[in-house]
Amino acid sequence: MIDNFIRLGTRTLVEELEYFYYNIISTFSFKSFFNAYRDDICENISLFMFAKGYPSLYVLISKTGPYLIGLSPERGIFNSTTKQQIVTAPSDFSDFYRNFYQKINAVPPEKKEIKMFINIHQKTTSVSSFAVFGKKNETAKLLKEENVLGIKKISVSSLFTEDKLLYLLKAYERWNEKNYRIDFNGGKVFFSLKLKKEAINTESECRAVAAMVKTVVSESYSNIFEKLSDPDAISGIPMILTTFQIKFPMLPKWLHMIDVFLVRFENSLSEVDRVLDEIIFPQMKFLK
């Protein structure tokens, strides 16, 4: 029997997405949305359901019906033709979303916190993904476009395991017990470290030292980090020591490196502090 679907990601996640495709989303008709915007030549719909602190469940839909379902850090597809509507999530949608996280042993979001957007646009683009289930022809076309453009979004989902997703969820838009958090803005990934309450130095001094170490680390590992392109994405989050921007394709690897990174980053901060206190500052006292 010919299988006309592409599955990327860990089996547990993909099976849940497949269940959503056959048993929930395929029972809905989106003709009314296409008819409402037929004068705008809108050929595609993207549906995003999410809650603060959790990845989105998204669905890409053409006039022939849904063709790709995924889990993503993004909360919409935005371009010059996009028209967005905020809608109330149907109960079976929100129930599935909550049960999805329960099945991977994560604390589910409260039902009242779940939001849903429908974007109507001419052309669908790739979406950064942790797992996908989609029709072969349409999904292969998006993957081919990624290859031509030299980007990795949907294709990265093949690198995420269930353990990696659970590890990510512990710090997803929240501080975890190891004093770091991971935030997203579209496909951009922000890894932030928290100021320590017991620090001897002032907040400004701590941030200055961290910025020095961050510059060296970022330049040394440009394959992982990129220049912080959107500082506003983390504005309003208190107690940030410093923030790295991580390339989304490197996120699966980065999740395995965090513990080692934290130890070495802390050692580097201590060493810079020592050099400042024992060498630099004493040398600057010649004006007395």
Side-chain angles (χ1 to χ4, degrees):
M1 182 177 178
I2 298 176
D3 188 353
N4 291 316
F5 293 91
I6 288 177
R7 299 166 176 84
L8 296 175
T10 187
R11 181 176 178 179
T12 302
L13 302 182
V14 173
E15 285 180 348
E16 289 300 309
L17 298 177
E18 187 171 355
Y19 174 88
F20 184 77
Y21 174 81
Y22 282 113
N23 296 280
I24 299 177
I25 194 66
S26 293
T27 66
F28 278 76
S29 172
F30 293 89
K31 288 183 179 179
S32 60
F33 288 98
F34 285 112
N35 290 336
Y37 292 93
R38 58 188 174 186
D39 292 338
D40 298 310
I41 321 177
C42 289
E43 300 291 331
N44 294 273
I45 290 175
S46 57
L47 180 155
F48 284 78
M49 181 168 57
F50 62 90
K52 176 69 174 175
Y54 296 86
S56 301
L57 174 70
Y58 74 89
V59 185
L60 303 185
I61 306 156
S62 68
K63 288 185 176 180
T64 59
Y67 63 86
L68 190 145
I69 299 170
L71 199 67
S72 171
E74 300 188 37
R75 291 176 176 171
I77 296 175
F78 303 102
N79 54 47
S80 59
T81 66
T82 298
K83 299 180 185 298
Q84 186 180 79
Q85 289 187 23
I86 302 174
V87 298
T88 301
S91 59
D92 45 355
F93 281 43
S94 54
D95 287 343
F96 171 84
Y97 188 67
R98 297 186 74 252
N99 291 335
F100 176 87
Y101 289 106
Q102 287 179 323
K103 290 210 174 162
I104 61 172
N105 298 315
V107 177
E110 294 294 329
K111 200 167 185 176
K112 63 182 179 181
E113 297 174 348
I114 298 173
K115 299 178 181 179
M116 192 165 84
F117 292 156
I118 288 182
N119 301 302
I120 303 170
H121 35 78
Q122 290 182 5
K123 188 179 185 300
T124 297
T125 57
S126 289
V127 180
S128 304
S129 303
F130 303 125
V132 299
F133 171 80
K135 291 183 178 179
K136 183 173 289 184
N137 290 341
E138 291 88 338
T139 307
K141 181 180 178 181
L142 290 171
L143 289 169
K144 184 177 180 180
E145 287 179 356
E146 286 189 8
N147 189 49
V148 171
L149 295 173
I151 61 174
K152 293 183 179 181
K153 301 181 102 176
I154 291 176
S155 54
V156 179
S157 57
S158 63
L159 303 176
F160 280 98
T161 64
E162 187 175 337
D163 287 342
K164 286 179 181 177
L165 182 59
L166 283 171
Y167 194 82
L168 173 62
L169 286 175
K170 292 178 181 178
Y172 200 103
E173 299 180 346
R174 57 171 68 88
W175 293 113
N176 73 353
E177 70 278 1
K178 294 183 180 180
N179 291 324
Y180 68 85
R181 62 184 290 147
I182 301 175
D183 294 275
F184 298 88
N185 184 22
K188 297 175 183 177
V189 187
F190 304 97
F191 176 79
S192 299
L193 300 173
K194 192 176 185 180
L195 275 166
K196 292 185 176 180
K197 293 181 179 179
E198 67 276 11
I200 298 175
N201 297 333
T202 66
E203 289 187 9
S204 296
E205 290 171 338
C206 289
R207 289 192 175 105
V209 172
M212 293 167 58
V213 177
K214 172 188 170 181
T215 298
V216 174
V217 172
S218 297
E219 291 179 353
S220 300
Y221 297 96
S222 58
N223 61 315
I224 299 175
F225 305 107
E226 54 190 341
K227 185 177 180 182
L228 189 62
S229 61
D230 191 6
D232 289 341
I234 54 172
S235 64
I237 301 174
M239 298 301 290
I240 287 181
L241 172 65
T242 192
T243 297
F244 292 83
Q245 185 167 322
I246 300 167
K247 297 177 180 179
F248 182 73
M250 295 302 300
L251 182 57
K253 182 178 181 180
W254 175 249
L255 294 173
H256 269 315
M257 300 168 59
I258 289 178
D259 287 341
V260 173
F261 172 83
L262 292 175
V263 171
R264 294 185 179 179
F265 190 83
E266 185 64 33
N267 290 341
S268 297
L269 293 181
S270 298
E271 186 63 16
V272 171
D273 271 336
R274 184 191 68 77
V275 171
L276 290 173
D277 289 340
E278 297 179 7
I279 301 175
I280 304 299
F281 292 156
Q283 291 293 322
M284 297 303 296
K285 293 181 178 179
F286 64 89
L287 291 177
K288 284 188 175 182

